[in-house]
Amino acid sequence: DIQMTQSPSFLSASVGDRVTINCKASQNINRYLNWYQQKLGEAPKLLIYNANSLQTGIPSRFSGSGSGTDFTLTISSLQPEDVATYFCLQHNSWPYTFGAGTKLELK
Amino acid sequence: EVQLVESGGGLVQPGRSLKLSCAASGFTFSDYNMAWVRQAPTKGLEWVASISYGGSNTHYGDSVKGRFTISRDNAKSTLYLQMDSLRSEDTATYYCARDLYYDGTYYPFAYWGQGTLVTVSS
């Protein structure tokens, strides 16, 4: 199985900060990487697919990059509504696997 | 608007069975692959099972293989998860999810339902 190592586990940042979250795959997953945002008590929401494609309706301050084994989710200017837990997902091969999550809070 | 509404969760004893349903609307159900993803209380996300748009191909996570069965009724726009031999570690919120189809490729778990809670306890 492909392991997804997500870092950091917790992140505290201020409004307006640039925030980066990383996911490292245990083997090459090409660009089969999605990013999700999950707010407390809600279902996850797709932010980024194909490593760098922005899902419809998602603000442009969110962006994704990477290929192969190393991927990054960037929030260019943190907003209060971005407080959430963020997950990556690899869908290069079965079983699909998620990262453990990054909990983002406001400083 | 894509809508996915799960139902069928509840409290069940270990070793017993439960069947979840996911009613879909707002899109042509038979055009999309579907899946179940679960989340144990205060834990991360775990993919459970996926089924192709026609229903002929299925895949399962190792933790549920041989115990859970994913199926779909395209005429009713409904996805199912039959869960047998339930264990305490199956306690979780179960979400159904739909793929995104773009430029010839399916990208999984693009749309999610609100989830249904399954609690396995005596």
Side-chain angles (χ1 to χ4, degrees), chain A residues 62-75:
Chain A
F62 292 93
S63 64
S65 63
S67 65
T69 60
D70 293 287
F71 301 86
T72 300
L73 173 70
T74 300
I75 308 173

Side-chain angles (χ1 to χ4, degrees), chain B residues 45-84:
Chain B
L45 299 167
E46 181 188 12
W47 166 72
V48 174
S50 292
I51 187 167
S52 60
Y53 54 85
S56 59
N57 292 312
T58 58
H59 299 271
Y60 296 91
D62 288 343
S63 61
V64 307
K65 202 174 295 183
R67 299 188 299 123
F68 290 12
T69 303
I70 188 172
S71 62
R72 64 191 297 160
D73 185 334
N74 285 345
K76 294 183 178 179
S77 296
T78 303
L79 177 73
Y80 302 101
L81 185 68
Q82 175 68 44
M83 304 185 294
D84 298 324

Side-chain angles (χ1 to χ4, degrees), chain A residues 28-46:
Chain A
N28 179 21
I29 60 168
N30 301 292
R31 291 157 61 95
Y32 294 110
L33 191 286
N34 292 355
W35 287 101
Y36 299 87
Q37 175 195 67
Q38 187 177 30
K39 296 183 178 180
L40 197 62
E42 297 184 5
K45 177 192 295 185
L46 177 66

